[in-house]
Amino acid sequence: MAPILKSGAALGALLLSSVPVAQAQEMLTLGRVFASPDLAGPQPRALKLSPDGSLVTLLKPRADEKERLDLWAIDSKTGAERMLVDSKKTGSGADLSEAEKMQRERDRSVAGSTGITSYDWAPDGKSILVPVDGDLYLAGLDGKVTRLTDTPDGELNGVVSPKGGFVSFVRGGNLFTQPVGGKERQLTQGASDTLSWGVAEFVAQEEMDRRTGYWWSPDDALIAVARVDESPVGIVTRTAIGGEGTKVYQQRYPAAGTPNAIVDLFVMKPDGSGQVQVDLGADKNVYLARVDWAKDGRTLYVQRESRDQKRLDLLAVDPATGKARVVLTETAKSWINLSNNFHALKDGSFLWWSEKSGHGHLYRVSGAKWTALTSGAWEVRDVVGVDEGKGLVYFTGNRETPLEQQLYVAPLGKPGQARALTAKGWWNDAVMDGAASRVVVTRQNTDQPKQVYLADSAGKQLQWLSENALTGSHPYAPYVAGHVKTTFGTVKAADGSTLYTKIMTPKMEAGKRYPVFMIHYGGPGGGRQVTNTWSGALNQYLVDRGWIVFAMDNRGTPDRGKAFEDHLYRAMGSVEVADQLKGVEWLKSQPFVDPKRIATYGWSYGGYMSLKLLEKAPGVFAAAIAGAPVTKWELYDTHYTERYLGQPQDKPSAYPASGALDEAVKISDPLLLIHGMSDDNVVFDNSTALMAKMQGAAVPFEMMAYPGQTHRVGGPGISVHLWKTIEGFLARRGVSPDAAER
C-alpha cells in the first residue's frame, strides 16, 4: 500500500526530554495551517536540469492557491527565476478524464494538485512538453506556448522521444505519436473499456511505482508498448457521492486472490508498423515490473515478477523477434522489493540493485559476474546519475543513520568506499543532468523546510536556487520563535530490535502531565514517520495547543534492512502492534505524560493500525482515530496484499488473523472512523463493513464520511473541517489539553 500522509499531517515527532522554548509570537490556527501561501514556503516539485544544464525547471505552487502548480525556470548561473507556463492562462479549464484523475491519485506527489503536474524536456533543450487540463502544449524558453492537441478526450503520459523526433501520448486507450511539426498518428487499435495500450494498470501505478505503459528506444527507432486487458478483473462499484449528486463508477479493482489484468508487451515502430510481441513466458499470471532499453537500442530489458513476488527475472529481449532469455534471477523466502535502479551501460553491463546481502545495495553485472559497488548494514535508495567517462555512480542512501538521507558517489568499476557529498543533519534528495556534471540538491530537516541548491559533481554548493530562509516575509517567520525542537530517541522491541522515536513537547511546567497525540503508520513499503524531515505546521499547531506529539517506526517499516521488514510477512497486525505498544509503555513511564490521555491517529495502513491497537490493547488509549482503514485484507489489491499475506485461499491462510473486522466487536475505547466516500484505493466498503459489524454488536463509535473525497481527504475547507472534527471528538472524550488531568 503506497502510504497516504493525511492532508497536512506531514506527521509526527518524538522527544526524550522537555526543553522549554519561547512562546510563539503568533499562535497557529487550523485555518492558517491549511491556507495559502504554504507555511513551508516554496515547495518545488519535479526538479529537472535542462539538457545543457543552463536552467533548472520545477513545478511551484501559487502563493494564492497552493494546490495549483505552475512551471518555473531558474537560471543556473545567475539564479534569476521566471515563470515559464502559467497554468491559469494556458489551460482550458476542462475537467480531467477519470483516467487522469486516477493517475494523479496514484502519484502521491501530485494528489490533490491542479494545473501542471508533469512536464518533459525536449532533448535539444529548446522546448518543454507540458500537459494542462487534459491537453498537450509545447512551451518555448521565451514564454511562448503552442497548443498541440485539442480534443474532447484527454491525453495521458505525454513525452518527447529521446532524440526529439516525436511527441507521444495515449488518448482513449490507444497510443499516438506525432512527428514534431507533423500530424499525429494512431499506433494501436482496439481500445475499449477493458483494453488499453500504453497505460500502466492499477496495481502498477499504485503499488509497483511504474507510471507508464510505453518506452521509447534511445534512437527513436522503436517503442515498447504494454497492452492491458482488464476483462478478467473484478468490478468494484464505486459510488462517488458528492454534495451535489452521485456518480457511479464500475471500477476494475483486482482484490487479493482474484484475477489480475493480463499484460502483454509489444515492440513497434513509431508509425505502428512492424509489431512484434515479446515472449514473457508461458505463465500469464505474472507482473510486468520494469522495462528498459540498452544504450544501443538493440536489447530490451524486462523485469518479470511472479504472482507471489518471490521471484524476479531480468529478461534480455531481441526487439526484432520478441525472443527473450533470462539474464538473472532474484528469489526470496518472503518477497522481493522492486527498485528503479537498473541502468544500462555502454559496454553491455548494467547496474542492478539487490537485497541479496540483507540490505539494498548496488552491483555492476557483466555476464555472470556481479561486482558489489556498495555494501554494509545500510540501504542504497536511488541512483541519481552515472558518469561512465569518469567511472562514477551517484546515488542516495542512509549509511550514517536511517533518520537521514545523503547523496554519495562511488567508483563504477570496482568495490570502493562510497563518499558522501551532502551534509549530515539533513534529509537530502537529488537530481543530476544527463552528463552527471551538476546536481540539484533538495534538503530539509525538522527545523528547516525544503531548501534547494545547485552543486557541482563533487558536491560543492555553487548557489542557492531556493534558500527558503525562515526570516523576513517568509510565511512561517511569525511562528519561528515558538517553533518546537524535535528530539529523536530509541525504544527496544521485544526481540531487542532498536526502534526509532521522535517527540515534540509544548513548553512544560514542572509537575504537570500532558496529553499525547500519537501518530503511526506502521506498514511495510513506506510511510515512515521518524525521519529528520520538516514535520509540517500541523504538528506545531498541535504542540501549541498543549499536545505532546509522538511517533515511532516499528518493525516491518522500510529502510532498515530486509530482516527488519520481513517481520510482517504473513503476520500483519502482530509485531507492529506490539512495537507501538512498547512506545506507549515508554510514554507512560515519563513523568510529563498523562497516561490516561494518550490518543492515537493513523491513516490508510495507519488507520488499520488504529483499529488493531484498540482491539489488542483495550484501555490503553483514551481515544483513537482511524482514517481510511483497511478492515478486511480480502478487499485490498493483489500486488500489495499478496506480497505480505499470500492469497486468501492459501492453506493455512494469513488473512483471518490479520483482518480487523472480527475483533472490532471487542472495541471498548472511543473510536472516530473517517473515510472519503469516493476512495478508489482503500474502497469505502472497508468502512461500511466495519460499521455494520460494530452496529450489529451494539458497539458505539463515531463516524465522519466525506462525499466526493478520495483516499486523500483534503483541500480548501476540507482539511480544516477534518481536523476540527478530530479536535471536537477528542474534546468530547476528555482527552484534549483543555481537559483536566485524570
Side-chain angles (χ1 to χ4, degrees):
M1 174 187 301
I4 281 285
L5 304 185
K6 217 5 257 85
S7 63
L11 301 181
L14 215 227
L15 165 83
L16 297 182
S17 62
S18 62
V19 180
V21 293
Q23 287 284 5
Q25 295 170 338
E26 292 185 27
M27 291 287 287
L28 283 164
T29 65
L30 278 177
R32 182 61 195 94
V33 166
F34 295 109
S36 297
D38 196 316
L39 284 170
Q43 294 297 287
R45 310 180 204 184
L47 287 150
K48 298 180 183 181
L49 277 155
S50 62
D52 64 0
S54 64
L55 293 176
V56 177
T57 47
L58 61 146
L59 301 178
K60 192 167 73 169
R62 299 175 80 93
D64 60 344
E65 189 181 350
K66 66 180 182 180
E67 291 79 15
R68 177 174 285 276
L69 305 175
D70 299 310
L71 180 62
W72 288 71
I74 302 173
D75 189 298
S76 64
K77 292 182 179 179
T78 67
E81 187 176 14
R82 70 184 190 273
M83 183 187 289
L84 280 182
V85 182
D86 184 325
S87 65
K88 280 194 169 181
K89 293 181 179 178
T90 304
S92 64
D95 289 338
L96 298 177
S97 67
E98 189 65 14
E100 185 164 358
K101 288 178 183 177
M102 289 183 69
Q103 276 199 354
R104 290 191 181 189
E105 190 69 17
R106 306 281 76 77
D107 185 352
R108 302 294 183 250
S109 65
V110 296
S113 299
T114 60
I116 301 168
T117 59
S118 65
Y119 64 95
D120 193 43
W121 270 99
D124 62 6
K126 295 180 180 179
S127 60
I128 304 172
L129 183 68
V130 183
V132 188
D133 298 340
D135 281 304
L136 298 177
Y137 299 80
L138 202 62
L141 303 187
D142 58 359
K144 182 181 178 182
V145 179
T146 303
R147 187 169 188 161
L148 296 182
T149 64
D150 185 3
T151 62
D153 289 333
E155 283 75 37
L156 292 173
N157 301 347
V159 298
V160 182
S161 61
K163 286 292 186 182
F166 301 86
V167 168
S168 55
F169 54 86
V170 175
R171 179 195 295 145
N174 281 307
L175 181 64
F176 289 74
T177 58
Q178 182 174 325
V180 174
K183 294 183 178 181
E184 67 179 40
R185 179 191 294 268
Q186 182 175 329
L187 274 62
T188 62
Q189 308 293 329
S192 67
D193 290 342
T194 57
L195 187 70
S196 62
W197 293 83
V199 179
E201 71 275 22
F202 176 91
V203 293
Q205 294 179 40
E206 178 64 38
E207 311 297 358
M208 297 162 61
D209 195 27
R210 176 164 69 77
R211 307 293 175 191
T212 188
Y214 72 94
W215 302 264
W216 281 93
S217 66
D219 56 4
D220 281 11
L222 297 169
I223 316 174
V225 188
R227 182 181 68 184
V228 178
D229 179 3
E230 291 190 298
S231 59
V233 179
I235 294 175
V236 171
T237 301
R238 183 164 57 86
T239 306
I241 301 173
E244 299 178 355
T246 299
K247 293 182 180 179
V248 178
Y249 296 99
Q250 300 297 312
Q251 180 181 340
R252 298 280 174 171
Y253 189 98
T258 69
N260 275 314
I262 299 171
V263 182
D264 292 304
L265 187 64
F266 291 78
V267 178
M268 60 190 71
K269 294 179 181 178
D271 61 2
S273 66
Q275 292 191 13
V276 173
Q277 184 169 359
V278 172
D279 181 6
L280 295 178
D283 184 5
K284 293 291 185 181
N285 198 16
V286 295
Y287 293 106
L288 179 68
R290 298 286 186 270
V291 178
D292 295 278
W293 285 91
K295 287 285 189 181
D296 59 9
R298 295 179 182 177
T299 303
L300 182 68
Y301 289 103
V302 177
Q303 294 180 44
R304 176 184 67 193
E305 185 182 40
S306 62
R307 172 78 182 244
D308 65 7
Q309 298 175 62
K310 295 183 179 183
R311 180 186 177 99
L312 180 68
D313 295 315
L314 178 66
L315 308 178
V317 178
D318 180 352
T321 64
K323 292 182 178 179
R325 61 182 176 86
V326 176
V327 176
L328 63 80
T329 297
E330 294 262 17
T331 59
K333 293 181 179 179
S334 54
W335 72 86
I336 294 169
N337 287 314
L338 299 173
S339 88
N340 293 316
N341 292 327
F342 177 92
H343 188 96
L345 301 173
K346 292 178 181 177
D347 66 356
S349 65
F350 53 84
L351 294 181
W352 183 255
W353 181 92
S354 173
E355 292 180 299
K356 68 176 187 174
S357 70
H359 294 274
H361 283 292
L362 284 179
Y363 299 82
R364 183 170 184 171
V365 180
S366 180
K369 182 182 178 182
W370 289 49
T371 302
L373 304 183
T374 62
S375 60
W378 56 285
E379 314 302 314
V380 169
R381 176 68 67 87
D382 294 306
V383 171
V384 174
V386 176
D387 185 338
E388 292 196 60
K390 294 181 179 179
L392 299 173
V393 56
Y394 298 82
F395 57 90
T396 53
N398 64 1
R399 185 180 63 191
E400 285 69 27
T401 168
L403 302 179
E404 297 175 359
Q405 181 168 283
Q406 305 298 334
L407 174 66
Y408 304 88
V409 62
L412 190 57
K414 61 187 179 190
Q417 183 70 19
R419 181 166 57 90
L421 301 180
T422 46
K424 295 180 182 179
W426 300 87
W427 184 281
N428 298 274
D429 292 291
V431 295
M432 299 190 81
D433 59 2
S437 63
R438 292 207 268 187
V439 58
V440 176
V441 176
T442 302
R443 73 177 194 178
Q444 59 178 312
N445 62 25
T446 56
D447 298 319
Q448 172 64 55
K450 290 179 179 178
Q451 299 178 305
V452 185
Y453 66 85
L454 181 69
D456 63 19
S457 60
K460 180 184 177 181
Q461 182 172 337
L462 301 176
Q463 69 178 69
W464 284 112
L465 300 177
S466 174
E467 188 173 5
N468 200 25
L470 302 181
T471 57
S473 60
H474 192 284
Y476 195 69
Y479 311 102
V480 169
H483 178 78
V484 170
K485 293 285 185 180
T486 297
T487 301
F488 295 95
T490 60
V491 169
K492 290 293 185 183
D495 69 347
S497 298
T498 297
L499 309 176
Y500 287 96
T501 61
K502 66 178 183 176
I503 194 170
M504 297 165 69
T505 65
K507 184 177 181 180
M508 296 192 292
E509 301 172 16
K512 185 176 179 180
R513 292 176 177 265
Y514 295 82
V516 177
F517 192 91
M518 175 174 159
I519 300 168
H520 58 261
Y521 180 77
R528 286 186 57 207
Q529 303 303 301
V530 186
T531 55
N532 190 12
T533 54
W534 179 250
S535 63
L538 180 62
N539 283 341
Q540 181 65 50
Y541 166 83
L542 293 170
V543 173
D544 284 352
R545 291 299 172 281
W547 287 99
I548 293 170
V549 178
F550 175 90
M552 186 180 75
D553 283 343
N554 48 256
R555 285 174 291 171
T557 50
D559 302 329
R560 296 284 306 278
K562 196 63 168 62
F564 191 83
E565 198 175 9
D566 278 353
H567 280 287
L568 291 185
Y569 182 60
R570 298 182 69 86
M572 292 200 301
S574 61
V575 294
E576 76 272 48
V577 174
D579 287 354
Q580 291 293 333
L581 291 174
K582 280 286 186 181
V584 177
E585 186 180 303
W586 177 87
L587 278 172
K588 290 189 174 184
S589 71
Q590 305 307 305
F592 51 86
V593 168
D594 184 346
K596 295 182 179 179
R597 287 191 294 163
I598 298 177
T600 194
Y601 161 92
W603 200 268
S604 196
Y605 196 102
Y608 160 75
M609 282 280 287
S610 291
L611 299 175
K612 297 297 282 188
L613 285 164
L614 290 193
E615 293 169 2
K616 299 294 185 184
V620 169
F621 296 98
I625 299 101
V630 176
T631 64
K632 184 179 181 181
W633 286 106
E634 290 89 340
L635 295 174
Y636 201 63
D637 72 53
T638 51
H639 195 271
Y640 183 91
T641 312
E642 294 173 10
R643 186 188 316 157
Y644 308 118
L645 295 181
Q647 296 196 32
Q649 49 269 52
D650 291 345
K651 302 295 182 184
S653 174
Y655 284 71
S658 295
L661 277 184
D662 290 344
E663 292 190 325
V665 297
K666 300 178 182 178
I667 291 177
S668 57
D669 300 311
L671 169 67
L672 172 62
L673 178 64
I674 305 172
H675 215 129
M677 298 179 77
S678 297
D679 196 331
D680 62 350
N681 180 8
V682 179
V683 295
F684 193 48
D685 289 4
N686 281 275
S687 277
T688 56
L690 180 71
M691 292 156 60
K693 188 78 172 181
M694 296 181 73
Q695 290 163 351
V699 177
F701 64 95
E702 295 189 34
M703 171 74 187
M704 179 58 69
Y706 284 90
Q709 292 290 307
T710 57
H711 198 49
R712 173 195 177 272
V713 175
I718 300 297
S719 295
V720 174
H721 184 277
L722 171 70
W723 284 93
K724 282 187 174 180
T725 298
I726 291 170
E727 283 189 317
F729 163 71
L730 294 173
R732 288 191 300 277
R733 298 300 180 175
V735 190
S736 65
D738 296 332
E741 292 182 42
R742 292 197 254 168

